[in-house]
Amino acid sequence: TTYLTLLSSLVKDVASTGNPSKLQVGLQASAFTPDSTFPTLSAFSVFDATQGLLVLSFSEPVDNTTAVASLITFTSSAAAGTNYTVTSATAAYADSSDKRVVYVTMSTYDLQQLRLTYGVAVSTATTFVVLAPDFIRDTAGNALARSNPTPVGSYVPSARPYLVAYTLD
């Protein structure tokens, strides 16, 4: 059951009269249409190869607690290419009031395995992501529509390895 209640100060006429009192007690909606629109991936804006951070934007608010890491696949091109599927990650909102931008942080293990996968996620040209349906759901429970390989907007390369110590015999 859905009701609409308005504060008396929400709407005023030219004489500064507030809402009618019947709008302040709650009116029952005469009809309700539930959300049936599937969210879509609208952008894969950043991949930080040092932190294993993906910044994903969606067409509508999503529930980050429904994110399933194993449904994220990196691929080296928009066509058939080398792939790596993530096994463990965490998801958090960039802005909890908007809920359309999600930060996904890969586990250390996955980041290392991705680095060992030849040709995937080594530059902007080789960093694409595919999200399977059910990767995440919107706030009404609708599953994500399957995404095509989506290119990264900004690629932050991983830190170069450097020699920490050596022994000379």
Side-chain angles (χ1 to χ4, degrees):
T1 308
T2 303
Y3 290 87
L4 175 66
T5 302
L6 304 177
L7 299 174
S8 63
S9 60
L10 181 68
V11 178
K12 293 187 178 190
D13 63 17
V14 292
S16 293
T17 306
N19 300 329
S21 61
K22 69 180 184 178
L23 291 180
Q24 295 172 27
V25 293
L27 293 175
Q28 186 172 1
S30 60
F32 176 77
T33 304
D35 176 9
S36 60
T37 304
F38 301 111
T40 58
L41 177 64
S42 55
F44 173 27
S45 53
V46 176
F47 178 62
D48 183 328
T50 299
Q51 298 178 22
L53 174 70
L54 296 81
V55 179
L56 305 172
S57 298
F58 297 93
S59 59
E60 61 179 286
V62 293
D63 180 356
N64 71 333
T65 64
T66 64
V68 179
S70 62
L71 298 177
I72 302 171
T73 300
F74 281 90
T75 185
S76 61
S77 71
T82 306
N83 297 330
Y84 178 76
T85 300
V86 177
T87 61
S88 179
T90 59
Y93 293 122
D95 177 357
S96 61
S97 65
D98 183 51
K99 299 183 179 183
R100 293 188 320 143
V101 178
V102 175
Y103 293 161
V104 176
T105 305
M106 298 168 54
S107 68
T108 303
Y109 171 81
D110 275 308
L111 185 55
Q112 292 299 327
Q113 293 304 307
L114 180 62
R115 289 177 181 158
L116 294 172
T117 305
Y118 181 76
V120 180
V122 294
S123 69
T124 302
T126 62
T127 307
F128 295 79
V129 71
V130 176
L131 303 178
D134 289 332
F135 161 67
I136 201 164
R137 294 182 174 274
D138 69 12
T139 54
N142 298 309
L144 178 74
R146 180 168 175 77
S147 71
N148 292 319
T150 304
V152 69
S154 176
Y155 178 86
V156 179
S158 60
R160 294 182 179 262
Y162 58 92
L163 181 64
V164 183
Y166 69 93
T167 302
L168 182 63
D169 287 329

